[in-house]
Amino acid sequence: MERRPFGTTGLTVPALGLGAGPLGDGRLDEAAAARLLQGALDLGVTLVDTARSYGLSEERIGRHLAHRRGEFVLTTKVGYGVEGEADWTGPCVARGIDEALRRLRTEVVDVVFLHSCPLETLRDPAILRALEQARRAGKLRAAGYSGENEPLRWALESGAFGALECSVNLCDQRSLADALPAAVARGLGVIAKRPLANAPWAHAERPAGQYVERYWERLQAMQLDPGPFDWDELALRFTAHAPGVACAIAGTASLEHLERNVRLVERGPLPASAVAALRQAFAAHDDGWEGEV
Ligand SMILES: NC(=O)c1ccc[n+]([C@@H]2O[C@H](COP(=O)([O-])OP(=O)(O)OC[C@H]3O[C@@H](n4cnc5c(N)ncnc54)[C@H](OP(=O)(O)O)[C@@H]3O)[C@@H](O)[C@H]2O)c1
């Protein structure tokens, strides 16, 4: 697995990481969760991205990977859900980090992201102070913002963050033209979330009310031709090798999909003509297609 510098944080990340949202689902049994996490590291997928809100995810990462903590980059997200604290306050961020460390059974998380809060929250000095104090205390290596659009741009320019996480995929390309080049110029590490666009091609009919619905609409509008590639190959190679992306975190609870995703990313960038056609199709149909959180 190709490994890349993560901005100027000093961290090195794999081109493909594990989006550990699905790992949090209680319907996934514990043995399968263990196999997925061990399998990821064995395959060279040495970045695991989680969040406080991903069900059992943090707890399972702690349970099954604490003994291999030196082998992977660990990222989580905070800002809400701490008992006895109002969401999006300094104490909520500070205690959220402490609780994440406990659940993840580690002394340090590599990147702690503020989890997609709006701009007003991001501008609150108490929130940034809590994150910075935790960084100085050695509880995290880099502070990050995970989100889109205006707050993402603010985070980028604020100087308060060493890392960003944003949507980059066939159906969500705006950040390729603005946020990513600016992040690279400023030395921020970038994680691409939703790199498969939540696999909208799998739905013959509109997935009404589902997370993927907006991307499904965009895919219909763009009328893309995948050419000689399977859709997952087209999507993942586009994102994982996009300029400015250090690591693409494909979400999966399936070891089989993870193994396939490793093989796809290892095929390298798509041909330049295919990338140009995908960029052109997005630009031609971009009708207020902002980044999807
Ligand atoms: N606001 C935020 O901070 C935020 C928002 C969204 C996502 N994220 C992060 O980004 C990660 C990834 O995002 P995501 O999971 O929403 O979107 P994604 O990675 O674009 O898509 C995940 C979907 O693709 C399927 N999939 C994975 N590999 C596949 C393959 N080879 N062939 C066909 N289908 C495949 C998965 O199903 P299977 O389980 O069946 O493989 C799952 O349904 C999340 O886990 C999370 O860590 C963060």
Side-chain angles (χ1 to χ4, degrees):
M1 174 62 60
E2 182 189 345
R3 293 167 63 76
R4 301 166 175 162
F6 192 56
T8 54
T9 61
L11 297 165
T12 302
V13 297
L16 178 70
L18 176 65
L23 179 77
D25 190 332
R27 288 168 298 183
L28 181 73
D29 73 51
E30 210 50 39
R35 271 197 306 277
L36 180 76
L37 288 166
Q38 301 292 338
L41 300 196
D42 295 342
L43 287 161
V45 179
T46 53
L47 182 145
V48 180
D49 178 77
T50 184
R52 184 172 183 90
S53 58
Y54 296 170
L56 299 172
S57 182
E58 286 190 329
E59 189 182 316
R60 284 177 158 170
I61 293 164
R63 185 175 307 134
H64 300 298
L65 289 187
H67 66 294
R68 299 182 68 176
R69 182 63 190 95
E71 295 177 50
F72 67 103
V73 171
L74 177 57
T75 69
T76 193
K77 313 185 194 81
V78 299
Y80 48 82
V82 174
E83 210 182 313
E85 305 289 358
D87 286 354
W88 296 109
T89 56
C92 181
V93 167
R95 283 191 49 208
I97 294 168
D98 290 341
E99 290 187 6
L101 291 173
R102 259 198 309 281
R103 269 200 295 270
L104 290 161
R105 303 190 195 181
T106 184
E107 286 174 2
V108 56
V109 172
D110 295 293
V111 185
V112 173
F113 291 102
L114 296 178
H115 200 171
S116 307
C117 53
L119 185 56
E120 314 83 81
T121 309
L122 206 45
R123 280 195 175 128
D124 178 349
I127 304 255
L128 295 181
R129 219 169 22 242
L131 205 52
E132 178 56 17
Q133 276 168 358
R135 195 186 66 77
R136 290 208 181 144
K139 297 175 183 178
L140 50 120
R141 297 205 161 87
Y145 177 69
S146 180
E148 303 297 320
N149 308 317
E150 213 188 344
L152 182 74
R153 281 188 288 277
W154 190 90
L156 180 53
E157 286 163 13
S158 67
F161 299 98
L164 299 178
E165 183 171 314
C166 61
S167 298
V168 183
N169 60 57
L170 298 178
C171 305
D172 205 333
Q173 299 190 22
R174 281 196 180 179
S175 60
L176 289 172
D178 50 27
L180 268 62
V184 170
R186 288 170 179 264
L188 278 79
V190 177
I191 291 178
K193 64 183 167 73
R194 305 180 77 176
L196 289 145
N198 303 100
W201 53 84
H203 301 271
E205 303 294 327
R206 171 184 291 276
Q210 292 181 42
Y211 193 42
V212 63
E213 184 176 5
R214 201 71 65 84
Y215 287 156
W216 183 88
E217 283 169 358
R218 293 183 184 183
L219 195 67
Q220 300 294 313
M222 285 193 284
Q223 291 286 305
L224 294 180
D225 172 8
F229 305 106
D230 289 329
W231 278 109
D232 56 352
E233 174 166 9
L234 189 78
L236 208 48
R237 289 176 68 188
F238 175 77
T239 298
H241 297 286
V245 169
C247 177
I249 46 168
T252 188
S254 148
L255 188 53
E256 202 182 325
H257 277 168
L258 186 64
E259 284 164 350
R260 175 164 167 81
N261 294 342
V262 167
R263 286 197 300 277
L264 297 179
V265 168
E266 286 181 340
R267 285 181 196 161
L270 292 170
S273 57
V275 173
L278 295 170
R279 297 288 300 265
Q280 208 170 10
F282 184 88
H285 293 90
D286 177 355
D287 176 21
W289 288 0
E290 291 216 297
E292 286 289 306
V293 173

